[in-house]
């Protein structure tokens, strides 16, 4: 046997074979077959995904993978999107950039999510990576348009610049003119998040005009409606377009110019933007509607009748993001117009209002789930729900992979029976066997977690708020959900016992977030001491947790597995529990 | 460090970094003794339980059925999660809730102080902090839309109630119903503004909803920046006096929605909150000539403080 194993293929051949293996999971599997495969694989891995930037250190990464061309990093916990992670928590990308500048001079792509990126980072990227092509900053912060100017000026091969939902210090639109006149390689530009009122329109127009490969262009609010036609005419090859402010006084010439410009965009498949929309201008997009597969109207206050009219023109729609102005009637219309629908997200127009302002109930969701056979992904904000509706959804849409329901008032019961919604969500996890992501809401006891632990075997991410009655709930999830990678919990009475009994499980997950729960400081310390491969971080802005008794619950807790040990860039309100905690001078 | 530096909750007067070394040992021994005392009373797990837990299910032992009752009694000293059971008298006005087990708690303001330090009564705010989960980006977008709507309706300081045709309400309350939720909306939407401090490269964000006065805001900012400044080992900042009275080395300024930088504190709080776009803690030396104290460039109507 030994002899047979030794006449293996030459390295070059293996490397060539590995180049067809794209998925990280498969690559990782190949790398543990034997030492030589490990070696070959690590030298030819070109793309890395690091789901938690603190799980590993830049040096460790570089040591193992010396020839990386593309890297994706995620920083802050998901709940940071809702401002539930105090500002200053961490997620700084600079240490990574600094190391990669030395190690990966040929780096082409950097994709970051929920990280702090400074202008210094951007300047380093701009001057260090000669073949830099893709910069995606999703939900990032800490940089300004000055940093963007550096990227624009220096990255001659830039293909993609995507600032989706980032918090940018917008010092004005002049950074756009830093793209040299000779620069033509832009394929994708998303500046929809830029906040200032000024955009250098002429620079933008010239840029769009000379970049003939431009496929994606998402403008920000500063770009007025009457400029859209001009831009579209210069880029009729666009596939994905985001408008700026879609608002102007109604003028027939502006309207017909706009409609004509849309008409000329034969490749257009995705539309977004539509801030401050004036409904009378909506029909200008009708020429492209029949080909549209994705429509994001979630910033557009369009009322249901106008939405219904619009959706009737969009039979190919696969993805719809919309505000709850659509109401049940609009969703009913959607369900009969858009049979290819795969993803639906309905956002609240008035999330903090005390009274209902729109007629959107669980019925709207049910009608879409009944009628659209390909529906896989749902995000739905509403004010009432029933077990019956959830069971109907579950039985009719077993192909759901993402189901996120937010009933806006915490702990709302089934409005028909006044019972908890355990049975309804239980049906979801029981029938939707491929469910990967679930967000719970409403009144829920430990029972729902029993169902989740029993049935949700493919579940990777679970979000819990104001739910459960005891540690048992948490225990069911941690002991039952085999595929669980991320668990985030707030305001639920989960505590010490479940965590300690399932501490080994935590090493199989990316991360666990618990805020306003019942986990005691003593347990945090114990976990930190006993589990060296976990970073147990206690977040408390009111002062050091050891100034209170050990049995006191901690405010926020973030546990993640790491081979890099505790981090050292924590702000004063974050404490890492490890063996040295008690001894270290905090 | 002394003077304007106040630690919330800690009280030992140590440095912002989390307790001077002299304070730790006494606190620790106090903590240890407390732990020993309560370890029998509460179900504080011993080390052996942890070993057993690695791989075995929680199962028997009766501890699983204990729910939170046993835990609750030991929490008494330092507060616990308030649940619906704590508010038997709170009855939701919504028709979709009925009997006691399904009373929808409108929510407790989950400020760390009020729950973990004294298991006292909730602050009675009708909104849960940070709920529903709307991305900050989306909230800011809605804020900007709302502000753009209100933009030309002036800073006259008239309350929301006086503007029945407010476009904001129209937009948000589509059926045109006059609801009392306008101020709640406003509170909910305003949320976080960015704060930068001279000399510190990374900015922070502060939730304006969490404050109802300039003093409270200034306090929060002092805590935020003074403590983080220390941890980053910047030069020691002596914010010996508060930011507002001009006697410190730093002053608090803000950019309003017209892009002008003003000194914080001159206008009524509510008016400030509606027009502020972001904050900056500026060195006093650089702040000379800022508009409002000297009010040259503005001929905007400024109402008398309410």
């Amino acid at each position: 046997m030994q002899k047979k194993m030794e006449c293996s293929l030459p390295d070059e051949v293996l490397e060539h074979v590995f180049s067809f293996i794209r998925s990280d999971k498969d690559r990782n599997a190949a790398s543990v077959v034997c030492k030589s495969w490990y070696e070959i694989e690590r030298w030819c891995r070109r793309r890395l995904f690091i789901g938690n930037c603190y799980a590993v250190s830049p040096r460790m990464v570089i040591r193992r993978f010396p020839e990386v061309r593309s890297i994706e990093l995620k920083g802050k916990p998901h709940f940071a999107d809702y401002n539930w992670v105090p500002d200053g928590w961490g997620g700084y990308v600079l240490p990574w950039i600094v190391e990669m500048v030395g190690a990966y001079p040929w780096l082409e792509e950097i994709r970051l999510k929920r990280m702090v990126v400074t202008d210094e980072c951007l300047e380093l990227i701009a001057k260090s990576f000669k073949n830099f092509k893709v910069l995606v900053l999703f939900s990032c912060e800490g940089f300004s348009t000055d940093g963007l100017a550096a990227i624009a000026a220096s990255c001659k091969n830039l293909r993609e610049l995507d600032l989706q939902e980032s918090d940018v210090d917008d010092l004005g639109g002049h950074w756009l003119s830093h793209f040299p006149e000779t620069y033509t390689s832009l394929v994708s530009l998303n500046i929809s998040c830029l906040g200032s009122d000024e955009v250098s329109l002429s620079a933008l127009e010239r840029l769009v005009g000379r970049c003939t490969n431009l496929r994606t262009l998402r403008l920000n609010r500063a770009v007025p409606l009457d400029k859209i036609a001009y831009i579209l005419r210069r880029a009729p090859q666009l596939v994905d377009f985001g408008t700026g402010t879609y608002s102007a006084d109604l003028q027939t010439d502006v309207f017909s110019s706009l409609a004509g410009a849309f008409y000329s965009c034969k490749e257009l498949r995705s539309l977004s933007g539509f801030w401050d929309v004036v409904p009378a201008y909506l029909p200008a997009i009708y020429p492209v509607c029949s080909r549209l597969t994705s429509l994001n109207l979630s910033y557009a206050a369009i009322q249901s009748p106008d939405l219904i009219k619009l959706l009737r023109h969009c039979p190919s729609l696969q993805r719809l993001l919309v505000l709850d102005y659509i109401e049940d009637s609009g969703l009913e219309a959607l369900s009969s117009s858009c049979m290819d629908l795969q993803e639906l997200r309905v956002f609240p127009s008035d999330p903090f209002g005390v009274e209902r302002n729109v007629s959107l109930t669980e019925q709207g969701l049910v009608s879409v789930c009944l009628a659209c056979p390909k529906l896989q992904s749902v995000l739905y904000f509403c004010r009432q729900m029933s077990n019956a509706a959830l069971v109907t959804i579950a039985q009719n849409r077993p192909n759901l992979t993402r189901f996120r329901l937010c009933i806006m008032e915490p702990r709302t019961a089934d409005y028909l029976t006044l019972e908890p919604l355990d049975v309804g969500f239980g049906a979801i996890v029981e029938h939707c066997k491929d469910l990967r992501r679930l967000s719970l809401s409403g009144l829920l006891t430990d029972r729902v977690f029993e169902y989740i632990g029993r049935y949700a075997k493919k579940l990777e991410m679970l979000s819990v708020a104001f739910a459960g009655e005891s540690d048992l709930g948490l225990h069911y999830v941690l002991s039952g959900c085999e595929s669980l990678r991320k668990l985030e919990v707030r305001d639920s009475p989960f505590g010490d016992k479940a965590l300690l009994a399932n501490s080994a499980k935590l090493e199989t997950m990316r991360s666990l977030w618990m805020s306003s729960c019942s986990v005691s400081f003593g347990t945090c310390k114990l976990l930190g001491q006993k589990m060296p491969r976990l970073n147990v971080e206690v977040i408390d802005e009111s002062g050091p947790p050891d100034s209170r008794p050990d049995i006191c619950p901690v405010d926020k807790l973030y546990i993640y597995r790491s081979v890099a040990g505790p981090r050292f860039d924590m702000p004063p309100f974050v404490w890492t529990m490890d063996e040295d905690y008690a001894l270290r001078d905090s | 460090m002394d003077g304007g530096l106040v630690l919330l909750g800690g009280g030992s007067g140590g440095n912002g970094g989390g307790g001077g070394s002299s304070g730790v040992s006494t606190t620790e021994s106090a903590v240890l003794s407390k732990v020993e005392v309560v370890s029998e009373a509460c179900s504080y797990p011993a080390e052996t339980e942890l070993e057993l837990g690695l791989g075995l299910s929680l199962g028997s032992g009766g501890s699983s059925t204990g729910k939170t009752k046993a835990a609750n009694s030991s929490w008494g000293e330092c507060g616990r999660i308030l649940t619906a059971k704590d508010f038997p008298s709170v009855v939701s006005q919504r028709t979709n809730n009925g009997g006691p087990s399904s009373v929808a708690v409108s929510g407790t303001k989950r400020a760390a102080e009020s729950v973990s330090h004294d298991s006292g009564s909730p602050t009675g705010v009708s909104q849960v902090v940070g709920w529903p989960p709307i991305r900050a980006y989306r909230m800011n977008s809605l804020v900007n839309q709302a502000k753009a709507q209100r933009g030309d309706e002036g800073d006259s300081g008239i309350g929301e109630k006086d503007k029945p045709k407010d476009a904001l309400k129209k937009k948000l309350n589509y059926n045109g119903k006059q609801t009392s939720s306008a101020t709640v909306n406003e509170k909910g939407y305003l949320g976080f503004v960015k704060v930068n401090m001279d000399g510190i490269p990374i900015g922070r964000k502060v939730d304006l909803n969490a404050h109802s006065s300039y003093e409270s805001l200034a306090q929060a900012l002092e805590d935020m920046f003074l403590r983080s400044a220390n941890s980053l080992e910047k030069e020691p900042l002596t914010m010996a006096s508060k930011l507002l009275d001009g006697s410190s080395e730093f002053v608090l300024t803000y950019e309003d929605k017209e892009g002008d930088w003003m000194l914080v504190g001159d206008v009524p709080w509510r008016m400030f909150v509606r027009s502020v776009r972001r904050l900056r803690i500026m060195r006093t030396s650089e702040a000379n000539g800022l508009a409002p104290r000297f009010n040259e460039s503005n001929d905007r109507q400024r109402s008398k403080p309410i």
Side-chain angles (χ1 to χ4, degrees), chain A residues 506-537:
Chain A
L506 298 177
E507 276 189 11
T508 69
M509 293 165 55
R510 183 188 297 174
S511 64
L512 168 66
W513 167 279
M514 295 179 72
S515 54
S516 306
C517 297
S518 313
V519 182
S520 72
F521 180 55
T523 291
C524 296
K525 282 196 289 190
L526 193 56
L527 271 175
Q529 282 168 10
K530 291 288 171 186
M531 311 288 298
R533 285 189 302 234
L534 290 181
N535 279 359
V536 178
E537 293 184 6

Side-chain angles (χ1 to χ4, degrees), chain A residues 269-286:
Chain A
R269 296 288 176 271
S270 168
L271 280 179
S272 56
F274 298 104
W275 284 283
D276 309 315
V277 67
V278 165
Y281 273 108
L282 273 179
I285 69 170
Y286 285 178

